[in-house]
Amino acid sequence: MSRLQYTLWRLIGIVPVMVLITTFAFFLMRAAPGGPFDKEKALPPEIEKNIRAKYHLDDPLIVQYGRYLFSVMRGDLGPSFKYPNRTVNEIIVESFPVSLKLGLLAMCFALFFGLSAGVISALKQNRWQDYTFMGFALFGVSVPNIVLGPLLVLIFGLWLGWLPVAGWESPVDAVLPTITLGAIYVAYISRISRAGILEVLGQDYVTVARAKGLPQRIVVFRHILRGGLLPVVSFLGPAFASILTGSIVVEKIFHIPGLGQHFVQAALNRDYTLAMGTVIFYALILILLNLVVDLLYTFLDPRVRYE
Amino acid sequence: MSNSSVAGSVNATTPANNQVGRRSLWADAFRRLAANRMALFGAGFVLFVLILAIVGPMLSPYKYDQIHWDAMNAAPSSKHLCGTDELGRDLCTRVFYGARVSMAVGVLATLVSVIIGILWGATAGFVGGRVDSYMMRMVDVLYAMPFMFFVILLMTVFGRNIYNLFIALGAVQWLTMSRIVRGQVLSLKQKEFVESARAIGLSWWLIIARHLVRNLLGPVIVYATLMVPAVMIEEAFLSFLGLGVQPPMSSWGSLINEGARTIDLYPWHILFPGASLSLTLLSLNFLGDGLRDALDPKMDAGRAGHG
């Protein structure tokens, strides 16, 4: 199979998966006890009837499902139940760029520091640099972001007063959220890249490169890194998923108006369409990102075959 | 004595002799574990937390939901070792009580996902062929899903109580376990001792019970140990968002949530639950890494534990 065929095949494969996710999300939310319009005070029956008619909630379930599925496939996630006059698409378009920026910043932060620490640790195996970085990495994977975030706020925001503790206006607002979200991936990436490079170091082609008398710099950048960093690439897929999730908490800690905040609010408020819409949207993004990672992998490692 | 040490090294280098030799695989693993100080520290601390979680709330003179209007937000003192929270509840008792909830969720949700993972992976690996490829393709697809979003949907739909927390977290964690078990089953099926057991005419059930289960146990224990901290982070994450354990019950996540809100005035509100959670996660990671080195030195570092 050529690369183009493989890509097309994978793209076609997205459709049934998205149908499945939409179906699952739809019936899950419909199984929920209590409606989206349950307030402390019951609505007058006529008004409730009108609202239900407006959102087509009185149609048979299967008709509602068909209508929803059809509109999702066209890219229309429907109106929000809690924010009148706003569609789910509008809310996503408005708030997702915020989450995206935060996620990308955290990813760059994690890649830069994680790779640096991992490469240095591997090249200086069992020396103090290795022990220092790996010690930090071990602590890094053990301090969850819900602890790290408030801790950073306390130290750098409240005690030292160096950085703002909330908001999303100036670039400096992004410093603490980026660290909070990215720290754990610095730890993971440094461990994975260290293990990957150590595995490559013993390979024949590295010995050959050294024996040819190539300078260390070229051996590292041209020979060792290329093979040794492949495990990091395959970690990127799960990392994206988990950064999107972590973003929910970080947005809450630092009061950032991203999609994660909207999603939690939607879940708490039983805003069915917004919650379903967010899940469907994120699922699509993750599937596409995973496809990109897989394709990237085939470019970097010619041994990989297309299945 | 020099004699026994020679015998020991012979046994270690010829695994085929394990059954007849004096040292079994398990005794060997136990020795390796006992030599690992980090793992022992981890095991000790986890045991300590478990004991505190069980007896702590009983020994404490206060109840976890007992309100003291005269001692709100009290600083740590001899009367309240960790201080009190906004309602004057003894924080020490609440942290102990939270340990119960967090540990219980960690262990039970892991158990749920271990069971699902083993059943799924073993079936796929055992039956093989088309069934195997369909089952594993499904796991691949699920891997790309934004799990925590589904967990949040599940918690919203089925109510925010602790039993749903076990099920929701368990239901999404089994994927890696099923992959590990399938891989093991596939390779074990090819092994000579299974072949010879079949040649003698042992029934499949006996082969499963006597040979496969025993050989699967190692990787399953290792990965389950590494899954507990992952599940505990997820529980803390949900409770932090207000979607997990509900007040007046406490878990470390919900205590961290309460603490983060008052961090500027009463930093100890977050200090004790945050430190408890982080130290427990660190210990579990030590223990899991140690078990992995002891039971299966070949297993890939850094891969397990996130997903």
Side-chain angles (χ1 to χ4, degrees), chain A residues 21 24 28-29 32-33 138-139 142 146-147 150 154 188 191 235 245 249 252 263 267-268 270 282 286 290, chain B residues 144-146 148-150 152-153 156-157 160 236-237 240 243 256-257 263 270 277-278 281-282 285-286 289 306:
Chain A
I21 291 172
F24 180 73
L28 189 66
M29 289 312 255
L138 199 54
F139 280 92
S142 303
I146 57 172
V147 178
L154 185 65
Y188 273 129
R191 287 172 87 170
F235 171 67
T245 320
V249 161
K252 180 182 159 144
F263 176 66
L268 289 169
R270 298 189 181 291
Y282 271 153
L286 283 178
N290 274 301
Chain B
M145 294 299 109
M148 285 315 285
F149 292 81
F150 280 120
I152 290 174
L153 282 190
T156 317
V157 170
R160 290 169 231 154
F237 172 95
F240 182 81
L243 290 158
I256 290 168
N257 182 26
I263 196 166
I270 195 169
L277 177 61
S278 303
L281 293 175
L282 187 68
N285 282 328
F286 279 152
D289 285 353
H306 49 76

Side-chain angles (χ1 to χ4, degrees), chain A residues 191-201 224 227-229 231:
Chain A
R191 287 172 87 170
I192 294 170
S193 56
R194 176 179 176 273
I197 289 171
L198 284 180
E199 209 170 298
V200 170
L201 276 180
I224 296 177
L229 295 186

Side-chain angles (χ1 to χ4, degrees), chain A residues 42-54 58:
Chain A
L43 289 167
E46 313 82 61
I47 295 178
E48 186 170 344
K49 207 175 137 210
N50 277 339
I51 294 179
R52 293 186 72 87
K54 185 187 164 201
D58 290 325

Side-chain angles (χ1 to χ4, degrees), chain B residues 114 117-123 125 175-188 216 219-220:
Chain B
V114 165
I118 289 181
L119 289 178
W120 193 272
T123 311
L175 297 174
T176 312
M177 182 59 89
S178 74
R179 277 188 179 175
I180 290 174
V181 170
R182 170 185 172 265
Q184 286 286 320
V185 169
L186 276 185
S187 79
L188 286 174
L216 273 174
V220 167

Side-chain angles (χ1 to χ4, degrees), chain A residues 9 22-23 29-30 56 81 83 88-89 106 112 144-145 170 173 183-184 191 194 208 225 241 243 256 262 277 298:
Chain A
W9 181 239
T22 310
T23 309
M29 289 312 255
R30 278 297 183 278
H56 306 287
F81 277 179
Y83 303 97
V88 174
N89 289 40
F112 180 77
N145 46 20
S170 64
D173 286 336
I184 197 163
R191 287 172 87 170
R194 176 179 176 273
V208 169
L225 288 191
I243 276 194
I256 297 166
H262 278 290
T298 63

Side-chain angles (χ1 to χ4, degrees), chain B residues 39-236:
Chain B
L40 281 187
F41 163 79
F45 190 82
V46 171
L47 202 67
F48 173 68
V49 172
L50 274 176
I51 292 171
L52 275 188
I54 295 166
V55 301
M58 295 184 220
L59 293 181
S60 163
Y62 310 101
K63 279 195 67 191
Y64 73 95
D65 56 353
Q66 192 179 349
I67 295 171
H68 301 271
W69 296 112
D70 51 336
M72 289 189 298
N73 297 315
S77 65
S78 57
K79 206 166 155 218
H80 297 281
L81 285 177
C82 309
T84 61
D85 72 359
E86 284 176 301
L87 295 172
R89 292 176 294 200
D90 182 60
L91 202 56
C92 218
T93 315
R94 286 180 74 70
V95 170
F96 290 152
Y97 193 81
R100 266 187 193 183
V101 174
S102 296
M103 294 296 246
V105 172
V107 171
L108 290 180
T110 301
L111 207 66
V112 171
S113 54
V114 165
I115 292 170
I116 303 176
I118 289 181
L119 289 178
W120 193 272
T123 311
F126 215 72
V127 177
R130 194 160 273 220
V131 175
D132 175 35
S133 74
Y134 281 136
M135 286 177 90
M136 284 299 129
R137 181 47 57 89
M138 223 175 114
V139 171
D140 289 343
V141 169
L142 288 174
Y143 244 105
M145 294 299 109
F147 283 117
M148 285 315 285
F149 292 81
F150 280 120
V151 172
I152 290 174
L153 282 190
L154 283 171
M155 293 301 292
T156 317
V157 170
F158 295 111
R160 290 169 231 154
N161 70 52
I162 191 165
Y163 303 104
N164 290 337
L165 205 58
F166 297 145
I167 297 167
L169 288 177
V172 299
Q173 276 286 336
W174 56 273
L175 297 174
T176 312
M177 182 59 89
S178 74
R179 277 188 179 175
I180 290 174
V181 170
R182 170 185 172 265
Q184 286 286 320
V185 169
L186 276 185
S187 79
L188 286 174
K189 258 187 4 184
Q190 319 277 323
K191 289 274 162 64
E192 289 89 347
F193 62 84
V194 174
E195 199 103 314
S196 58
R198 277 171 67 190
I200 316 172
L202 230 64
S203 76
W204 271 117
W205 285 114
L206 272 176
I207 294 178
I208 292 175
R210 220 172 269 170
H211 296 288
L212 293 188
V213 168
R214 189 176 285 190
N215 282 289
L216 273 174
L217 216 53
V220 167
I221 289 176
V222 170
Y223 187 66
T225 315
L226 289 169
M227 197 162 17
V228 173
V231 173
M232 284 175 75
I233 288 186
E234 277 161 10
E235 184 277 326

